[in-house]
Amino acid sequence: MNISHQKIDDINAKITVDLAPEDYNPAVDKAIKEQAKKAKLPGFRPGMVPVGHIRRTYGKSILFDEINRVVNEKISAYITEEKLEVLGQPLPTDGEEDQKYNWDFKDNFSFNYEIGLAPAFETPFTAETEFTEYVIKADAATLEERTKNLRRSYGKMTNPEVSEDGDVLYATLKQDKADGIEKTTSIRTDVIEDAKIKKALVGLKKEDTAKIDVKKAFKVADLARILGISEEEAENLDVTKFELTVKNINRLEEADLNQEFFDKLFPDGDVTTAEQFHEKVKEEVENLFQQNAAQKLRNDMYTFGMDKVNVEFPEAFLKKWLQATNPNLSATEIEEGFADFVNNLKWTIIENRIVTANNLEVKYEEVIDLAKERIYAQIKMYNINEEPTDEQLSQFAMQLLSDREQANRLFEEVKALKVFDHLKGAVKIKSEDIDFDKFEKLEK
């Protein structure tokens, strides 16, 4: 057997595999014998089908399969031995399928494959590269809003006589036309977009009415939900004036800052005063801000790396490979998504070279830990009081990782975090305090 490659240019190459009968016949003979042992054919006892019969009947098919297997194995081993950074997988060159062979176990085969090569470049991150890591401070308005939301989550519902801003009105909406829409439903005043309409719904009592323009009052999605119609119907309402009649007023009173409330949020009993509660809220908010800051730093590193690495890719080969591996995609669809594909590919190569150069390793335990972390966050999102055990989280994590797509996604996420942590130690990081509102402007 002879296998070699020839560079066409810096990002395209050709691999040639030459096979003589002695290279493939041992594998073919073995496969035929195994087939004879397994075959169940009329006129023969199980496992007693003559090898010669299998060779005559199925030999060419087995020969074809074994040659494909041998060639693929040898190409894979060759790519590893030669340390070729291949993109996608090798593809048979055009016209390769037109080769004429007898397939009589005596042919000398020669197969040619196209390969795309990753462009050569140095990763652009050095000890002199500088980034800013922001320390976001919790402002009073954000803390107040978070405190209000927590107190409302554990508050109680009351039915006051007169409406205020933020109440939920149980009301009938009647379209201002004959046989128009009429719907009795709950209306959250906090989602009303028009300030004048919102003000008009303050100070109402049961059976009071108000005329409102629902298109001005609500976003299309909210309006569709309130009226029980599709978003398309909500968007195309011919008459947008409705009469609102109040049937009841619902108000969520905020929970008192007392021990009962503290224990619901912090069951460990480490919060006993309003001051400790506010400190906990600040800590929670700033931890969330810290995640935002970390994401900003990762985005800045990504943008820097993508801007600095200005190289060409084997686009013709990659499009051909995408079409071969995704036969349901049209050429137009491949073309439309190709720029994003190449961007993702470029960053993946940057990441992989950082991983290889610095011997970074993703351990299975780290993937499990990340899965548990994601599951824990999801559970707490829906029920802040639920505290799953480590055993439960481990069971959920194993279930999640049994899905190959989810497992691959989490593996890539762990790898990305490792690369990010490595880069933080390899470049200059300047720390800068910033208010949340100013940080938000940086993100836009």
Side-chain angles (χ1 to χ4, degrees):
M1 178 185 295
N2 183 49
I3 182 167
S4 61
H5 80 280
Q6 176 185 358
K7 290 187 73 172
I8 298 170
D9 53 38
D10 289 340
I11 51 177
N12 291 280
K14 181 179 76 170
I15 287 181
T16 300
V17 183
D18 296 320
L19 291 179
E22 59 268 23
D23 296 321
Y24 59 81
N25 272 329
V28 173
D29 291 340
K30 181 180 178 182
I32 289 175
K33 288 177 182 178
E34 289 177 351
Q35 182 69 22
K37 292 177 183 178
K38 299 175 185 176
K40 295 180 180 179
L41 298 177
F44 298 98
R45 285 182 293 167
M48 300 298 291
V49 180
V51 170
H53 182 77
I54 296 295
R55 179 180 287 268
R56 287 191 300 274
T57 308
Y58 304 107
K60 288 190 176 183
S61 174
I62 294 172
L63 172 64
F64 181 81
D65 290 342
E66 285 303 307
I67 286 179
N68 270 336
R69 184 184 62 78
V70 169
V71 169
N72 287 334
E73 286 180 356
K74 294 303 180 183
I75 288 178
S76 179
Y78 180 80
I79 288 171
T80 301
E81 290 166 6
E82 295 294 315
K83 298 180 179 178
L84 299 176
E85 197 172 0
V86 173
L87 305 178
Q89 287 92 32
L91 295 175
T93 56
D94 291 335
E96 189 69 25
E97 65 277 4
D98 297 331
Q99 292 274 12
K100 302 300 182 184
Y101 295 110
N102 294 323
W103 298 94
D104 58 2
F105 307 92
K106 298 177 183 178
D107 283 317
N108 288 302
F109 293 96
S110 184
F111 301 108
N112 296 296
Y113 294 84
E114 299 174 63
I115 57 173
L117 301 175
F121 61 84
E122 295 292 329
T123 54
F125 302 96
T126 71
E128 300 305 312
T129 312
E130 184 175 280
F131 296 93
T132 300
E133 185 173 35
Y134 293 97
V135 179
I136 309 170
K137 298 300 181 182
D139 58 284
T142 302
L143 292 174
E144 182 180 351
E145 183 64 24
R146 179 56 180 159
T147 298
K148 182 182 293 186
N149 288 338
L150 287 171
R151 293 179 68 179
R152 282 184 171 179
S153 296
Y154 293 91
K156 60 181 180 180
M157 190 67 72
T158 62
N159 302 110
E161 292 186 3
V162 182
S163 65
E164 293 181 0
D165 186 19
D167 287 344
V168 177
L169 302 180
Y170 187 66
T172 298
L173 283 171
K174 186 175 182 182
Q175 195 174 22
D176 196 7
K177 73 171 189 176
D179 299 322
I181 298 170
E182 184 172 342
K183 180 77 172 178
T184 301
T185 185
S186 294
I187 300 169
R188 289 173 48 190
T189 58
D190 62 339
V191 302
I192 293 175
E193 301 210 302
D194 187 273
K196 289 184 179 179
I197 295 175
K198 184 178 287 192
K199 186 176 180 180
L201 299 184
V202 171
L204 299 181
K205 298 179 181 179
K206 286 184 181 180
E207 301 305 327
D208 283 353
T209 61
K211 290 278 190 177
I212 65 171
D213 185 327
V214 293
K215 287 294 288 290
K216 290 182 180 179
F218 305 106
K219 292 179 181 177
V220 171
D222 290 329
L223 180 56
R225 174 180 52 79
I226 290 168
L227 295 180
I229 59 179
S230 70
E231 290 191 18
E232 183 179 357
E233 289 171 320
E235 180 69 46
N236 297 307
L237 279 177
D238 55 345
V239 175
T240 61
K241 294 291 180 66
F242 279 68
E243 182 178 73
L244 180 150
T245 303
V246 178
K247 299 299 180 183
N248 200 5
I249 301 167
N250 300 311
R251 181 176 301 161
L252 186 60
E253 300 283 359
E254 294 180 7
D256 293 330
L257 294 179
N258 55 28
Q259 195 60 49
E260 181 184 2
F261 172 64
F262 299 151
D263 289 343
K264 288 178 180 178
L265 283 172
F266 311 105
D268 292 338
D270 53 353
V271 174
T272 58
T273 67
E275 289 75 16
Q276 291 174 334
F277 166 72
H278 289 304
E279 191 59 37
K280 280 282 189 181
V281 172
K282 181 181 179 184
E283 181 182 325
E284 176 203 44
V285 169
E286 291 191 341
N287 280 340
L288 290 173
F289 286 170
Q290 186 178 352
Q291 294 175 28
N292 293 343
Q295 186 60 54
K296 164 73 173 161
L297 179 56
R298 283 195 289 270
N299 291 344
D300 289 347
M301 287 179 170
Y302 170 84
T303 301
F304 174 84
M306 294 293 283
D307 288 345
K308 289 293 183 180
V309 176
N310 187 16
V311 292
E312 291 186 358
F313 283 83
E315 294 192 2
F317 169 82
L318 289 172
K319 289 175 182 177
K320 183 178 178 181
W321 173 73
L322 286 170
Q323 186 67 74
T325 53
N326 300 277
N328 293 329
L329 288 181
S330 67
T332 301
E333 288 172 320
I334 289 175
E335 197 65 43
E336 288 174 348
F338 191 70
D340 287 339
F341 169 78
V342 169
N343 278 338
N344 290 333
L345 180 60
K346 181 161 74 168
W347 181 250
T348 298
I349 294 172
I350 293 172
E351 274 192 330
N352 288 342
R353 289 185 181 173
I354 292 171
V355 167
T356 302
N358 297 282
N359 297 314
L360 304 182
E361 181 184 0
V362 176
K363 298 179 180 177
Y364 184 63
E365 295 79 10
E366 294 170 322
V367 179
I368 293 176
D369 287 343
L370 183 62
K372 288 162 67 174
E373 183 182 320
R374 293 288 183 266
I375 292 166
Y376 180 83
Q378 191 171 20
I379 290 172
K380 299 298 282 187
M381 182 187 300
Y382 292 103
N383 188 348
I384 194 170
N385 289 322
E386 186 173 351
E387 196 63 37
T389 65
D390 187 67
E391 183 179 355
Q392 288 173 321
L393 290 173
S394 295
Q395 290 175 350
F396 292 144
M398 296 307 293
Q399 291 173 10
L400 183 66
L401 293 174
S402 65
D403 183 323
R404 178 173 293 184
E405 185 176 334
Q406 294 284 357
N408 288 339
R409 180 183 61 79
L410 287 167
F411 176 88
E412 290 298 324
E413 195 171 342
V414 172
K415 184 180 77 171
L417 290 171
K418 276 189 173 288
V419 170
F420 174 62
D421 287 341
H422 169 78
L423 289 177
K424 282 185 68 176
V427 302
K428 287 183 179 178
I429 300 292
K430 180 181 69 174
S431 181
E432 182 178 322
D433 291 351
I434 190 170
D435 292 331
F436 180 64
D437 57 342
K438 291 181 180 178
F439 178 80
E440 281 190 308
K441 292 176 182 176
L442 292 176
E443 292 285 84
K444 294 177 180 178

